[in-house]
């Protein structure tokens, strides 16, 4: 007997559709982009598939494979669009494949051992084309690959939402007008785009690891996509130390995922995590990747390798008390020298507080108070509140945690910071 699509109450289907689409949209956009050869149009067609699902699923039920349904719907519309174009016959000859939905085929690829048959990776490299500014490359890829909203991307960049929206619109227009190919480049061109690709993967992972907004602290699908892409790049470019450095960093960070939230999804601070829940397989993978980064490096470590070394310090400590905070503070100092950033300096302050006490760390944090990029960054008052509490300045600490809670856009983080403020009020 043929299995029927599952049905759900109409008021719950819309939520299901939006959740599924958020997870599947990067793959849908990437798959459709190979047909229409335009990431802007591909995103529009993916949105059309979402609208179709919102119309049909409440009536017909959620399909057994909703991701495949969305992909098929988007590709069908893409094929219709291509068929309506005047140059359709020529495009078919160039593409050299059957566009039938019933038996879809991939583009014929050159028999090159460096080639990757991965639409998501093609999407990343296309969005990271040099015709775009660095900021536009990252914003566009976070939008297309990560499925992030404009406000979430703006939060990740610490820039106004309108600025991010303009970057995304202009980036898609530029790729279309310049006729940028949807491909993974070869040789020197691939090398030239690597830095932006690594940064994009890093930011996508970070959004999954600590969501900037919403009700959940974690967005595992983003971490999985970023980690998969980092692994693919590491296999593709075995002589690039920063590729291995990024892979090591993501493996080690992801190893702690299961211990970072409690039964109700609430955040669990590093010092309170059950380290037996840390994934030892991912830790081993991380140390292996870090070893590869060090083995192929010809100079001082890059920023991803340095961050991976910091994560390794945490991974090799069996208890929180065993952590080599002095080594971590030293590594953060090297990272600040390599890539100056107020956020990195804030992280260094945390390590210094553990190595040398809250007093010296507070001096570092106070020096960051005037940084424009940290004006609305909730972790600045959060760190300052923790340092003040450890110094016994309870009233000031409470005020900092209250401010941090007001700035946090992630509901789980907001609850944690508000709870810290309440604890200080009652002490």
């Amino acid at each position: 007997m043929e299995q029927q699509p599952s049905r759900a109450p109409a008021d719950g289907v819309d939520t299901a559709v939006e959740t599924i689409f958020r997870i599947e949209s990067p793959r849908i956009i990437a798959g459709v982009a190979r047909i229409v050869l335009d990431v802007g149009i591909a995103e529009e067609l993916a949105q059309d598939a979402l609208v179709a699902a919102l119309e049909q699923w409440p009536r017909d039920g959620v399909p057994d494979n909703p991701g495949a349904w969305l992909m098929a719907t988007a590709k069908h519309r893409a094929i219709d669009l291509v068929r309506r174009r005047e140059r359709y016959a020529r495009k078919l000859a160039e593409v050299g494949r059957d566009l039938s939905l019933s038996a879809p085929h991939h583009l014929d690829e050159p028999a090159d051992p460096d080639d990757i048959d991965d639409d998501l990776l093609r999407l990343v490299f296309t969005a990271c084309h040099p015709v775009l500014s660095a900021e536009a490359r990252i914003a566009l890829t976070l939008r297309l690959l990560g499925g992030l909203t404009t406000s979430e991307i703006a939060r990740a960049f610490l820039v106004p939402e309108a600025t991010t929206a303009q970057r995304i619109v202009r980036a898609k227009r530029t790729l279309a007008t310049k006729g940028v190919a949807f491909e993974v480049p070869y040789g020197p061109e691939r090398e030239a785009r690597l830095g932006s690709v690594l940064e994009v993967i890093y930011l996508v992972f970070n959004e999954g690891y600590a969501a900037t907004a919403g009700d959940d602290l974690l967005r595992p699908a983003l971490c999985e996509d970023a980690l998969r892409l980092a692994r693919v790049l590491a296999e593709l470019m075995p002589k690039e130390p920063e590729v291995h450095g990024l892979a090591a960093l993501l493996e080690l960070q992801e190893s702690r995922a299961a211990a970072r939230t409690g039964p109700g999804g609430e955040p669990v601070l590093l010092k309170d995590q059950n380290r037996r829940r840390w994934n030892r397989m991912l830790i081993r993978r991380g140390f292996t990747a870090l070893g590869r980064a060090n083995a192929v490096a010809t100079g001082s470590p890059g920023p991803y390798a340095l961050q991976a070394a910091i994560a390794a310090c945490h991974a090799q400590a069996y208890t929180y008390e065993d952590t080599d905070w002095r080594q971590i503070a030293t590594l953060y100092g090297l990272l600040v020298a390599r890539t100056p950033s107020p956020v990195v300096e804030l992280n260094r302050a945390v390590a210094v507080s553990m190595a040398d006490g809250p007093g010296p760390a507070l001096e570092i944090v106070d020096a960051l108070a005037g940084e424009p990029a940290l004006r609305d960054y909730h972790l600045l008052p959060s760190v300052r509140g923790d340092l003040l509490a450890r110094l016994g300045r309870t009233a000031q600490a409470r005020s900092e945690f209250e401010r941090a809670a007001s700035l946090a856009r992630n509901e789980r983080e907001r609850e944690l910071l508000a709870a810290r403020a309440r604890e200080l009020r009652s002490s």
Side-chain angles (χ1 to χ4, degrees):
M1 178 181 296
E2 182 178 351
Q3 190 173 6
Q4 298 297 317
S6 60
R7 294 186 179 275
D11 57 357
V13 173
D14 286 0
T15 301
V17 173
E18 292 169 3
T19 300
I20 293 165
F21 181 79
R22 191 173 181 109
I23 294 170
E24 298 291 338
S25 63
R27 295 178 181 85
I28 297 170
I29 294 169
V32 171
R34 294 196 69 188
I35 298 174
V36 298
L37 305 178
D38 184 311
V39 294
I41 294 175
E43 186 181 19
E44 292 174 4
L45 293 171
Q47 291 288 340
D48 287 346
L50 170 63
V51 172
L54 289 170
E55 292 174 348
Q56 296 182 37
W57 291 8
R59 181 188 68 234
D60 302 334
V62 179
D64 292 330
N65 191 336
W69 190 99
L70 288 166
M71 178 69 84
T73 300
K75 283 189 172 182
H76 178 76
R77 292 173 187 236
I79 292 166
D80 286 345
L81 177 64
V82 172
R83 283 174 174 159
R84 289 196 300 269
R85 292 174 175 172
E86 294 179 355
R87 299 185 299 275
Y88 175 65
R90 181 173 61 81
K91 285 183 179 293
L92 272 185
E94 292 172 352
V95 172
R97 65 172 179 172
D98 180 11
L99 292 177
S100 172
L101 277 176
S102 61
H105 297 287
H106 294 293
L107 286 167
D108 292 335
E109 302 291 348
D112 189 309
D114 271 351
D115 189 57
I116 308 172
D117 186 17
D118 191 307
D119 285 344
L120 283 175
L121 198 58
R122 287 185 176 88
L123 182 60
V124 175
F125 270 95
T126 301
C128 291
H129 197 280
V131 298
L132 305 177
S133 68
E135 294 82 3
R137 297 173 207 169
I138 297 167
L140 180 61
T141 309
L142 285 172
R143 172 69 177 166
L144 298 179
L145 177 73
L148 308 189
T149 65
T150 302
S151 62
E152 289 171 339
I153 299 169
R155 181 69 172 176
F157 277 127
L158 303 177
V159 297
E161 186 172 339
T163 301
T164 299
Q166 290 174 355
R167 286 175 181 170
I168 293 171
V169 170
R170 290 172 182 167
K172 288 189 287 189
R173 185 184 304 129
T174 299
L175 291 177
T177 57
K178 296 290 185 180
V180 172
F182 185 68
E183 64 183 5
V184 177
Y186 294 90
E189 188 179 355
R190 180 184 293 173
E191 304 289 337
R193 283 196 240 171
L194 181 60
S196 290
V197 171
L198 294 180
E199 188 172 9
V200 165
I201 294 173
Y202 175 68
L203 286 175
V204 171
F205 180 87
N206 278 351
E207 180 59 31
Y209 191 73
T212 55
D215 297 330
D216 299 319
L217 179 68
L218 308 180
R219 293 174 61 185
L222 289 183
C223 291
E224 291 169 5
D225 277 340
L227 188 52
R228 184 176 66 84
L229 287 170
R231 289 169 178 168
V232 170
L233 275 181
E235 292 298 322
L236 174 71
M237 311 180 81
K239 296 181 180 180
E240 287 290 339
E242 276 293 79
V243 172
H244 294 299
L246 178 63
L249 173 61
L250 302 196
E251 300 279 9
L252 292 168
Q253 293 289 79
E254 181 65 10
S255 72
R256 302 201 295 262
R260 292 185 61 240
T261 55
E266 67 278 6
V268 178
L269 298 176
L270 180 63
K271 65 183 179 64
D272 299 322
Q273 288 177 16
N274 180 356
R275 300 193 174 209
R276 288 175 294 182
R277 299 191 66 196
W278 288 7
N279 189 314
R280 308 312 299 183
M281 182 192 71
L282 292 180
I283 290 175
R284 287 193 296 272
R285 291 182 66 107
F287 275 101
T288 298
L290 184 56
R292 289 173 180 163
N294 294 332
V296 299
T298 57
S300 58
Y304 295 115
L306 285 171
Q307 290 179 76
I310 292 168
C313 288
H314 291 295
Q316 65 190 11
Y318 287 101
T319 67
Y320 185 75
E321 292 71 24
D322 292 334
T323 306
D324 189 348
W325 288 106
R326 193 163 301 281
Q327 174 66 8
I328 291 175
T330 298
L331 290 168
Y332 268 122
L334 295 173
L335 186 58
V336 168
R338 183 68 185 265
T339 55
S341 160
V343 174
V344 174
E345 185 71 352
L346 183 63
N347 287 330
R348 185 176 78 87
V350 174
V352 168
S353 77
M354 301 304 298
D356 300 322
L362 186 59
E363 294 179 9
I364 298 173
V365 172
D366 286 345
L368 296 171
E371 287 285 346
L374 299 183
R375 184 177 295 115
D376 297 321
Y377 189 49
H378 68 287
L379 292 183
L380 177 62
S382 173
V383 170
R384 193 168 190 273
D386 182 70
L387 297 176
L388 290 169
R390 289 165 60 187
L391 289 168
R393 295 158 63 177
T394 305
Q396 291 174 283
R398 181 176 67 247
S399 177
E400 291 293 331
F401 279 120
E402 288 172 347
R403 180 168 183 271
S406 70
L407 293 174
R409 296 182 60 191
N410 182 278
E411 186 60 31
R412 296 298 186 176
E413 286 187 300
R414 186 183 300 117
E415 292 171 356
L416 176 65
L417 293 166
R420 293 291 305 275
R422 289 193 298 271
E423 290 171 5
L424 292 171
R425 187 180 297 114
S426 61
S427 60

